[in-house]
Amino acid sequence: MEFRIKTGEIAQLKTPCILIGIFEGRKLAGPSVTLDLATGGRLSELLKKGDMDGRLGGTLMLYDLPGLASERVLVVGCGKHKEFGRDNYRKALVGAVATLQQTHAGAALCTLPELGPDGLDLYAAVRDLVTTAEDKTYRYNLTKKDDKKAPKTPLKRLEVWLSDKSDQRSAEQAIKHGTAIAAGMALSKELGNLPGNICTPTYLAEKAVELGERYDRLETEILEEADMEELKMGALLSVSRGSRQPAKLIVMHYRGGEADAKPNVLVGKGLTFDTGGISIKPAADMDEMKYDMCGGAGVFGTILAACELGLPINLVGVVPSSENMPDGDANKPGDIVTSMSGQTIEILNTDAEGRLILCDALTYVERFNPELVIDLATLTGACVIALGKHASGLFTTDDHLAEEIIAAGQAAADRAWRMPLWDDYQQQLDTNFADMANVGGREAGAVTAACFLARYTKAYRWAHLDIAGTAWLSGKEKGATGRPVALLTQFLLQRS
């Protein structure tokens, strides 16, 4: 979608549609007051007929209002004025975009950022407009023909009206940042939504190579199973043994900073399908296990956003990718494998495979002498139970890093919530037969999974994001969300 800035007398601007907001009780504010005056009060007269009361997310399309150059006016309900904060602002945008997609407008001029949502400056309001509009117009269609729900005239352009020209630079920066974040989220969603028979580890590797060819600052390296064997990645390779699809270790180097500057490193779980292995999952909803690579997809999306923004940092994205399948050569409960770090692991549950591919990747990234490392993974159902779909679980012993990530999540409306990572939990990983078990029992499952990963990250600053509850939605809205691309991109922006 194309985004532009518009200034000038709003009533005289030619556009297929103007978006204005009103509050409950048909209360006009900001641009809607200006347009009402330009129409000689016709706008408020039509609202008094009762078809639109300002309820949050409600919409009313009006045509050919006198005194306006616009063909249409879309009135959007913003709820109660005193409750018009970020959440309600975004809900109003969702309602507006959904309605526009059902019309033949194709383009619109939006005034909602001028309403000054509580807690948002103009930059944040405009960026939220961009990311929300792009999110709600995304459609997966690679393996599905457009159906009757497809918009006949898709929304192709949104213009943002500013009452003050001095705000233009800030708004343009918001569009630039929002567009890059939205592009990264779209890539992450597309990879996550692809079926496992298409999005294999090899497919992901090919996509990484394509990205490297697209951007001058990005160089891609693909490690094959023979390379991993040489590196003694016994944990990762133990997972891929059960699959006919060869594992790949995908490494993407973005070089935007000084040559000697330490890189920020992102490590994303790239399990392109997870049956649970010998500890097989129930059949119901197993199709959703194609989303078990959303951590890797999040790394891809964040790398893309960094490239689009030309961030002045060095960044490495690492995606260990495999399938987890039941097979005669697959891991068995009770098997013991040796990780790249030399630590041995007793596999008590083959469905706890994500931490096995991640631990070798986390050891591998030591060679980059990183500034910090953040791993992201759809790691545990326990985190879904703890936090639901609203916040990603954040685990780290680094208080300053935790504060940075939480602040980035708040700024990007892609929140994380800090969970404990105390040594008290480490004893749950004790076993008589190896340095550690790969699971710690039913209690605090998300915490003990993070404790497992922590044993491989002592050489650098590290944080773990468990995105099992936030990376995809089930039910009628089933699909990948693109999270936590917005959080991670904001985090990198803060550090640039």
Side-chain angles (χ1 to χ4, degrees), residues 326-339:
D327 179 79
D329 199 31
N331 281 329
K332 306 179 294 297
D335 283 358
I336 295 175
V337 299
T338 303
S339 65

Side-chain angles (χ1 to χ4, degrees), residues 3 10 90 99 128 202 205 207 216 219 222 279 452 456:
F3 296 90
I10 188 171
R90 291 168 71 93
T99 299
D128 275 11
T202 298
K207 285 298 176 183
D216 292 339
E219 179 183 339
I222 308 298
S279 307
F452 179 95
Y456 298 86

Side-chain angles (χ1 to χ4, degrees), residues 274-283 286 325-326 349-351:
D274 179 20
T275 66
I278 300 300
S279 307
I280 198 163
K281 295 176 180 288
M286 195 195 286
M325 302 290 285
N349 188 325
T350 68
D351 193 23

Side-chain angles (χ1 to χ4, degrees), residues 17-22 26 42-55 57-63 65 72-78 92 95-96 99-100 103:
C17 185
I18 292 179
L19 271 63
I20 61 170
I22 67 167
R26 295 182 287 277
R42 181 61 176 159
L43 174 60
S44 55
E45 287 178 12
L46 290 172
L47 290 175
K48 287 178 182 178
K49 295 183 182 295
D51 292 337
M52 166 57 130
D53 62 1
R55 191 171 302 170
T59 59
L60 175 66
M61 187 69 81
L62 303 174
Y63 297 86
L65 289 182
R72 305 169 178 82
V73 173
L74 178 60
V75 184
V76 183
C78 296
T99 299
L100 285 169
T103 72

Side-chain angles (χ1 to χ4, degrees), residues 98 100-104 137 139 146-155:
L100 285 169
Q101 287 282 77
Q102 297 169 12
T103 72
H104 290 276
T137 55
R139 290 179 61 81
D146 275 349
D147 55 23
K148 295 179 181 179
K149 296 181 180 179
K152 294 180 180 179
T153 307
L155 185 61

Side-chain angles (χ1 to χ4, degrees), residues 16-261:
C17 185
I18 292 179
L19 271 63
I20 61 170
I22 67 167
F23 296 100
E24 281 191 15
R26 295 182 287 277
K27 294 179 181 178
L28 306 182
S32 60
V33 174
T34 302
L35 290 186
D36 189 42
L37 291 172
T39 63
R42 181 61 176 159
L43 174 60
S44 55
E45 287 178 12
L46 290 172
L47 290 175
K48 287 178 182 178
K49 295 183 182 295
D51 292 337
M52 166 57 130
D53 62 1
R55 191 171 302 170
L56 182 62
T59 59
L60 175 66
M61 187 69 81
L62 303 174
Y63 297 86
D64 300 321
L65 289 182
L68 303 185
S70 175
E71 300 170 14
R72 305 169 178 82
V73 173
L74 178 60
V75 184
V76 183
C78 296
K80 296 179 180 179
H81 200 169
K82 64 181 180 180
E83 296 176 358
F84 190 57
R86 189 175 206 172
D87 287 346
N88 284 0
Y89 169 65
R90 291 168 71 93
K91 289 175 182 176
L93 290 173
V94 169
V97 171
T99 299
L100 285 169
Q101 287 282 77
Q102 297 169 12
T103 72
H104 290 276
L109 176 66
C110 184
T111 70
L112 296 188
E114 286 285 330
L115 293 179
D118 186 38
L120 287 186
D121 57 17
L122 183 70
Y123 164 85
V126 173
R127 197 173 86 169
D128 275 11
L129 167 64
V130 173
T131 56
T132 302
E134 290 281 19
D135 182 48
K136 295 307 172 184
T137 55
Y138 166 84
R139 290 179 61 81
Y140 173 81
N141 55 24
L142 189 64
T143 57
K144 177 181 180 180
K145 294 180 180 178
D146 275 349
D147 55 23
K148 295 179 181 179
K149 296 181 180 179
K152 294 180 180 179
T153 307
L155 185 61
K156 295 292 187 182
R157 187 177 74 251
L158 262 182
E159 296 172 325
V160 183
W161 181 73
L162 302 179
S163 59
D164 188 343
K165 287 185 179 180
S166 66
D167 290 328
Q168 186 162 344
R169 179 174 295 181
S170 176
E172 287 175 346
Q173 185 183 51
I175 288 175
K176 178 182 177 181
H177 292 175
T179 301
I181 290 169
M185 291 179 67
L187 174 61
S188 179
K189 285 188 284 189
E190 194 74 3
L191 292 174
N193 287 333
L194 285 171
N197 62 322
I198 293 177
C199 187
T200 62
T202 298
Y203 181 92
L204 281 181
E206 290 170 350
K207 285 298 176 183
V209 171
E210 289 177 14
L211 274 182
E213 293 172 347
R214 181 174 165 186
Y215 295 102
D216 292 339
R217 293 181 176 182
L218 187 63
E219 179 183 339
T220 301
E221 178 184 8
I222 308 298
L223 276 67
E224 306 292 344
E225 288 193 341
D227 302 311
M228 291 180 255
E229 287 175 5
E230 190 172 331
L231 291 167
K232 299 183 178 180
M233 291 185 167
L236 194 163
L237 290 172
S238 75
V239 176
S240 69
R241 275 204 323 266
S243 172
R244 295 184 183 181
Q245 294 291 337
K248 305 286 181 179
L249 185 67
I250 300 164
V251 185
M252 294 173 280
H253 298 267
Y254 169 78
R255 296 183 173 92
E258 298 294 332
D260 59 349

